[in-house]
Amino acid sequence: MGNNALDSTPRATHESGANQAGSFFTPMKPPLSFTDQLELMRNRGLTVGDEELALRRLSETNYYRLRGYWLTYELNGRFIPGTTFDSIWDTYELDCALRTWVWETIAPIEIKARTLFAYHMSMECGALAHEDNRYFKNTIAHAHSMESLTRERNRALRDGVPCVVHNIEKYGDLPIWAAVEIMSMGTVSQLYGNLDSAKSGVAKSIANGFGVKPFILKSWLRHLTYIRNICGHHSRLYNRIMTTRANLLKRDSRHDSDKEFPTFLVLKRIYEQSWPKQWPSRLNGLDAAISKHGGVSLQPMRFPEEWRDILK
């Protein structure tokens, strides 16, 4: 008797649509051409002005990427009467502009966080203190952070990053001031959030550099890492539920929500402490991006009507 006869385990097949747990899935939908995609949207009530332009945009931007931008224009599986392809595209373009603005605004915050982490960690605890789990509350979480750093170090060695090659060849290890240059923002955020304040004053010293208490900075870095990753992967920011939220200062608590406006408040508070002269130009850039797409509602992002005054 062959092996197949002895093995009675049920096998899932694409044809049957069954998985190995014995349940059944709905058969996969067939792919649609760009023309069929547009026709499907029309059948659901969308108004299409320039068909050639709409088809070109579908060919350059995945249907399911655009799908997230018409959630606010949809009711019971159909488009709200009067919804146009252009209105959806305008929402998409606003989101692109917001993601670019947020990415650029976070960049100096990330660099400052790296700098202060390396400086205070090394000055108080030593050049290799980031590798010593005694300075951290959760040793398992610290081990995961070190695994991430090891992967980044190996990648940097393969790529011949000068500061990494130099330190490894000369010292056999990376001091914290070199290590932070190859750490992801997520690793920096995790290490900061894991610092044990009973073992050192590093967490407080870094937070002082941002003008807030350590628990606030921990929350902000974690949240901004999440937002940075959304922007870096070109994911939708507009009308998104924030699964990683920031703790707001008491004076901003009335604007707390699981949508996007709190992110902009956090950025304002960091800039007014660290780079107050730069914030007005950053805000002007945000205003320009939003004004260019004035027909798109900011309500899904929980922007209040007076958002410009609040962020001023």
Side-chain angles (χ1 to χ4, degrees):
M1 187 178 293
N3 290 336
N4 289 340
L6 291 171
D7 186 356
S8 61
T9 303
R11 292 287 185 256
T13 66
H14 291 293
E15 289 77 12
S16 69
N19 62 23
Q20 291 196 16
S23 59
F24 287 82
F25 299 117
T26 301
M28 189 68 69
K29 293 179 180 179
L32 296 178
S33 67
F34 296 127
T35 301
D36 288 340
Q37 290 173 16
L38 188 60
E39 188 60 26
L40 177 61
M41 296 167 77
R42 272 200 178 110
N43 290 339
R44 291 175 177 170
L46 184 70
T47 298
V48 180
D50 189 331
E51 181 172 335
E52 183 179 348
L53 179 60
L55 286 172
R56 188 172 81 238
R57 285 172 170 167
L58 282 172
S59 72
E60 296 170 348
T61 311
N62 188 17
Y63 174 94
Y64 272 94
R65 173 173 290 272
L66 284 181
R67 175 73 180 83
Y69 295 95
W70 71 66
L71 294 174
T72 55
Y73 299 98
E74 193 178 45
L75 183 64
N76 298 325
R78 291 189 59 80
F79 289 102
I80 296 170
T83 302
T84 66
F85 190 97
D86 287 343
S87 60
I88 295 170
W89 188 257
D90 201 26
T91 306
Y92 171 72
E93 288 198 317
L94 170 63
D95 188 55
C96 291
L98 290 177
R99 281 189 278 111
T100 298
W101 185 91
V102 169
W103 174 274
E104 293 174 349
T105 305
I106 289 176
I109 299 172
E110 176 180 357
I111 294 170
K112 180 172 180 175
R114 293 172 186 270
T115 301
L116 292 184
F117 183 80
Y119 180 79
H120 291 293
M121 197 79 194
S122 62
M123 293 298 287
E124 183 169 338
C125 306
L128 297 177
H130 61 293
E131 298 180 2
D132 191 340
N133 63 19
R134 291 178 301 171
Y135 293 109
F136 300 88
K137 293 176 291 188
N138 187 316
T139 57
I140 295 176
H142 176 261
H144 288 322
S145 296
M146 290 301 98
E147 289 172 3
S148 297
L149 176 57
T150 298
R151 287 194 296 271
E152 293 302 328
R153 183 190 66 189
N154 292 340
R155 183 180 296 113
L157 282 171
R158 289 196 301 270
D159 293 343
V161 176
C163 75
V164 175
V165 173
H166 166 74
N167 280 282
I168 293 297
E169 289 182 348
K170 188 170 183 177
Y171 305 110
D173 209 338
L174 290 180
I176 183 60
W177 51 84
V180 293
E181 291 303 314
I182 61 168
M183 285 182 190
S184 68
M185 187 175 178
T187 299
V188 175
S189 172
Q190 289 162 9
L191 286 172
Y192 177 77
N194 195 20
L195 283 170
D196 190 341
S197 296
K199 301 292 181 60
S200 75
V202 174
K204 185 175 181 180
S205 295
I206 296 170
N208 286 342
F210 283 92
V212 294
K213 294 181 178 180
F215 83 94
I216 291 288
L217 183 59
K218 174 183 176 179
S219 165
W220 286 2
L221 292 180
R222 184 168 176 263
H223 175 71
L224 292 180
T225 297
Y226 166 73
I227 295 296
R228 179 191 183 278
N229 289 340
I230 289 174
C231 297
H233 290 93
H234 315 293
S235 298
R236 175 172 54 87
L237 183 62
Y238 180 85
N239 191 23
R240 189 185 188 107
I241 299 295
M242 300 288 110
T243 57
T244 301
R245 295 170 62 174
N247 290 331
L248 299 183
L249 300 180
K250 286 184 179 179
R251 54 185 155 163
D252 297 325
S253 60
R254 67 188 184 280
H255 300 297
D256 192 22
S257 78
D258 60 358
K259 302 307 289 284
E260 296 86 345
F261 189 65
T263 302
F264 294 84
L265 274 172
V266 167
L267 294 173
K268 167 189 164 63
R269 295 308 180 196
I270 292 176
Y271 267 76
E272 69 182 7
Q273 172 66 34
S274 299
W275 310 284
K277 293 183 179 179
Q278 293 184 26
W279 182 248
S281 64
R282 297 302 309 162
L283 184 56
N284 287 340
L286 177 63
D287 193 356
I290 291 175
S291 297
K292 185 177 180 181
H293 304 281
V296 181
S297 173
L298 299 181
Q299 181 56 38
M301 301 176 73
R302 296 297 186 273
F303 269 60
E305 290 291 331
E306 69 281 15
W307 67 265
R308 291 175 179 84
D309 293 330
I310 295 170
L311 294 180
K312 190 176 296 182

